Amino acid sequence: MEPMIQVVDVWFRYQGENESSGKWALKKINLTFRTGEYVSIIGANGSGKSTLARLLNGLLLPVRGEVKVGGLSTANESDLWEIRRRVGMVFQNPDNQIVATTVEDDVAFGLENLGVPRSEMKDRIERALAAVGLSGMNAREPHHLSGGQKQRLALAGVLAMSPDVIVLDEATSMLDPQGKNDVSQVAAELHRMGKTIIHITHSAREAFRAERVIVMNQGEVKLDLPSEVLYPKAVMLKQWGLAVPPEIELHQRLLGKGWPLSPTISGKEELVEEIWRSLSEI
Amino acid sequence: MSQIVMGQYYPGDSLVHRMDPRAKWLFLMVFMIFVFWANHLRSTAVLLFFTLVAAGMARIPVSVFIRAIRPALFIILFTMILHLLMTKGGEALLRLPFITIYQEGLRQAVFVSARLFVLISVASLLTFTTSPIDLTDGIEWLLKPLQRFKIPVHEIALMMSIALRFIPLLWEETEKIRKAQTARGADFDTGFFIKRLKSYIPVLIPLFLSAFRRAEELALAMEARGYRGSEGRTKWRQLRFSSLDGWLLIVAVLLFFVLRFLE
């Protein structure tokens, strides 16, 4: 099957930056995203992860190399609108991406841009709102919504356009824990519905919800592993300035103190089990 | 707080609320012409009567209504007094050492203040009974003929609705910055006009910076959602004329004949 998105030998630098200094925001990126995948991209500030996200729907164009979405190249201007329909994007700041004065009008915005006939809109709006759990809030004004609700509204706006891929560009970083959780849950739900999800974040805990984790640092892809492979080795994330999930950190420190634990764990529950076991042996 | 800045829309479900914003806009324009056409007390009285009936039908509480037109009441009162004192003509009704009030002065005072009151009340009636976004949609429709002259009507309307969306946000932000600057020792409440105005510079600069950043991010988000101008775009919000708007037309025609008879 043809991959959903192909990033082929992409180099990118922002305009105005000195060309000879050779400061690339992205260096030699080669990635493939398959249909229905749930991928997360983590990296510290300035690692290039948001830049990469913007290359995926043609908001930025590669200086060298090529980005292809379902066979369409982002360099081809006439395909750009179809690419943006296929690759929906939710941004970091919930306030700065809602256009309209009511929930329902905002979901309609993308459909209006696509030229969807009005008769079809009603149904698509309702379905999108239901999918993110905002049914019945059609007439609400965005500034009366919580942060988490605003991000779910942004998701609904993207979803109504029936995209194949949804890119969350640090979409949870400005939310409270409840909001973060809600948005991540909706993302997981959409993944079950068959959407390809690309979640960009700097939180390792969120990243491990995905099936595959890509680690970026200074414009390069450092790691690209299934999350259950990376998870036990998560301590290595430290070298790129990333936080390690607390249970992994604890596990490592206990091992360091000579506790008789198994060398790898697959989750919080397993660590708890292990600790119980070793305590009862003493 | 947001209610203050979001215009004076008073949500409700009265007959006047349910009318189409375009019909209301058009009626307002015609009505304004009527007001300036009516040159007699008796025709102005008819318009005043109509205004009060319409306000009653809109079920806007009197207190809300008065609060909204209070700034204008001052002007009305002022012109009233000016006319009473300055306009000469007809019999003298009252003679005091420095002041003489003439019949014509009294007539003019009543006439002009009634006219002003009618104008302001009907205009606020429109903003009371129509949500800002409906007002915008109404304007977009009214401006549509200008598209012929290459005036970007769709873009103007979108700008207005985005402005409406961001007013509460920027208002909140202003308050936040104000508090932050107060915490750093800024003083907004003392000094005369110029000094006070100057004290707001440390609020306005961060506010502008953030507004520009917001604008940039919003533009990016709109592009990501496939926005590319009015071309090939459909519209979700739809205005529908109903029989109510037909009644408004009949009222306008009736008013026209009544005024013609009285003038």
Side-chain angles (χ1 to χ4, degrees):
Chain A
M1 195 161 66
E2 194 181 11
M4 196 68 240
I5 300 181
Q6 260 178 305
V7 180
V8 187
D9 193 23
V10 161
W11 294 65
F12 181 83
R13 100 175 107 212
Y14 285 95
Q15 267 180 353
E17 275 175 40
N18 195 350
E19 292 206 11
S20 56
S21 76
K23 242 197 123 215
W24 292 91
L26 291 177
K27 283 173 259 184
K28 208 181 161 196
I29 306 284
N30 280 292
L31 287 169
T32 304
F33 300 98
R34 288 179 302 276
T35 307
E37 254 191 317
Y38 185 177
V39 189
S40 63
I41 302 179
I42 49 173
N45 288 335
S47 60
K49 57 191 193 303
S50 279
T51 307
L52 177 61
R54 277 158 206 201
L55 284 157
L56 299 180
N57 66 351
L59 285 175
L60 297 173
L61 296 175
V63 176
R64 282 190 222 156
E66 194 181 27
V67 177
K68 277 179 144 185
V69 178
L72 305 175
S73 165
T74 58
N76 199 344
E77 206 171 315
S78 57
D79 291 337
L80 215 46
W81 307 108
E82 174 59 15
I83 286 172
R84 289 193 184 149
R85 186 195 66 74
R86 288 188 193 176
V87 184
M89 189 174 266
V90 178
F91 293 84
Q92 181 174 15
N93 190 327
D95 283 319
N96 297 351
Q97 55 186 319
I98 296 171
V99 185
T101 43
T102 70
V103 165
E104 154 183 282
D105 286 310
D106 193 67
V107 179
F109 179 75
L111 298 174
E112 293 176 322
N113 293 337
L114 290 178
V116 172
R118 192 174 184 281
S119 52
E120 224 180 276
M121 283 188 193
K122 182 79 194 156
D123 191 43
R124 288 173 77 160
I125 291 171
E126 291 303 333
R127 265 187 295 150
L129 285 177
V132 301
L134 288 179
S135 288
M137 296 204 175
N138 299 37
R140 285 278 196 98
E141 288 170 24
H143 67 276
H144 291 145
L145 299 178
S146 71
Q149 286 173 325
K150 281 180 207 169
Q151 285 304 63
R152 282 188 281 150
L153 168 57
L155 258 173
V158 162
L159 205 57
M161 296 167 79
S162 51
D164 302 318
V165 184
I166 295 173
V167 180
L168 303 165
D169 182 5
E170 301 229 30
T172 54
S173 65
M174 286 178 74
L175 303 179
D176 55 33
Q178 174 73 42
K180 276 192 213 296
N181 204 24
D182 288 349
V183 171
S184 296
Q185 245 163 32
V186 171
E189 183 58 38
L190 295 177
H191 171 239
R192 269 193 291 280
M193 283 163 57
K195 305 280 183 203
T196 309
I197 308 282
I198 301 175
H199 189 165
I200 288 148
T201 174
H202 56 247
S203 143
R205 191 200 302 213
E206 271 178 354
F208 283 114
R209 287 175 182 242
E211 304 165 332
R212 172 182 164 199
V213 179
I214 294 170
V215 181
M216 289 196 65
N217 188 47
Q218 304 203 329
E220 286 174 273
V221 172
K222 291 293 180 187
L223 283 180
D224 181 355
L225 291 170
S227 63
E228 68 269 17
V229 176
L230 180 59
Y231 183 78
K233 299 189 278 183
V235 184
M236 68 198 291
L237 292 175
K238 271 190 189 168
Q239 59 178 305
W240 299 298
L242 293 163
V244 177
E247 62 275 15
I248 293 289
E249 179 88 47
L250 178 63
H251 176 235
Q252 286 298 321
R253 288 198 192 178
L254 290 175
L255 279 180
K257 294 230 171 199
W259 281 52
L261 303 172
S262 77
T264 60
I265 55 161
S266 63
K268 233 182 271 181
E269 290 73 22
E270 198 185 328
L271 180 64
V272 173
E273 287 284 316
E274 284 278 312
I275 292 174
W276 274 120
R277 198 178 44 75
S278 67
L279 279 176
S280 61
E281 277 169 10
I282 297 168
Chain B
M1 188 168 66
S2 57
Q3 243 137 21
I4 304 165
V5 275
M6 285 304 279
Q8 32 186 2
Y9 179 50
Y10 189 85
D13 194 35
S14 73
L15 286 181
V16 188
H17 280 90
R18 289 207 303 266
M19 284 172 184
D20 188 293
R22 293 169 295 179
K24 283 191 266 189
W25 269 116
L26 284 174
F27 183 82
L28 180 69
M29 288 176 196
V30 172
F31 192 82
M32 295 240 165
I33 296 171
F34 284 174
V35 171
F36 286 105
W37 181 30
N39 252 326
H40 291 86
L41 261 181
R42 53 177 186 271
S43 40
T44 305
V46 169
L47 295 178
L48 181 65
F49 176 72
F50 169 82
T51 308
L52 294 178
V53 169
M57 274 169 61
R59 298 211 202 97
I60 308 292
V62 180
S63 59
V64 174
F65 198 85
I66 289 175
R67 206 182 317 141
I69 62 173
R70 192 185 288 155
L73 275 180
F74 172 75
I75 300 172
I76 294 176
L77 225 65
F78 185 71
T79 42
M80 194 174 186
I81 292 169
L82 226 57
H83 271 292
L84 266 182
L85 301 181
M86 307 300 236
T87 310
K88 299 187 168 64
E91 271 176 60
L93 298 175
L94 185 66
R95 278 182 202 279
L96 293 172
F98 294 102
I99 304 163
T100 316
I101 293 175
Y102 295 94
Q103 200 179 17
E104 186 58 25
L106 184 65
R107 201 195 80 89
Q108 278 292 328
V110 172
F111 172 67
V112 172
S113 51
R115 184 183 253 187
L116 273 174
F117 177 80
V118 166
L119 275 178
I120 291 157
S121 310
V122 171
S124 16
L125 212 53
L126 174 73
T127 53
F128 271 140
T129 60
T130 321
S131 69
I133 190 70
D134 276 340
L135 285 174
T136 313
D137 282 347
I139 292 175
E140 182 177 7
W141 183 81
L142 289 172
L143 292 182
K144 238 176 205 159
L146 295 180
Q147 252 163 358
R148 252 168 222 246
F149 307 108
K150 303 242 184 267
I151 291 174
V153 174
H154 157 77
E155 279 78 3
I156 293 172
L158 188 70
M159 270 162 58
M160 291 201 309
S161 72
I162 288 175
L164 287 175
R165 150 94 182 87
F166 278 86
I167 285 169
L169 261 176
L170 292 177
W171 185 256
E172 265 172 39
E173 196 148 30
T174 315
E175 277 303 300
K176 221 185 272 171
I177 298 170
R178 225 179 81 98
K179 280 185 188 138
Q181 300 291 31
T182 311
R184 287 166 178 74
D187 175 14
F188 297 105
D189 302 317
T190 56
F192 290 112
F193 186 66
I194 299 289
K195 187 170 173 262
R196 276 202 204 187
L197 219 57
K198 269 191 187 157
S199 72
Y200 267 90
I201 292 174
V203 174
L204 289 180
I205 289 175
L207 186 67
F208 268 82
L209 270 175
S210 123
F212 278 116
R213 203 181 47 240
R214 281 182 195 281
E216 231 165 274
E217 280 183 27
L218 184 71
L220 204 65
M222 284 169 67
E223 235 183 289
R225 285 166 77 182
Y227 180 73
R228 44 178 157 167
S230 57
E231 205 184 322
R233 207 165 183 271
T234 46
K235 233 174 133 34
W236 161 247
R237 295 187 63 85
Q238 238 176 13
L239 299 171
R240 275 222 187 82
F241 284 119
S242 66
S243 54
L244 268 179
D245 306 306
W247 283 106
L248 201 58
L249 179 70
I250 291 171
V251 169
V253 172
L254 274 177
L255 272 177
F256 172 79
F257 281 112
V258 170
L259 285 185
R260 225 181 78 157
F261 175 73
L262 292 176
E263 282 301 311

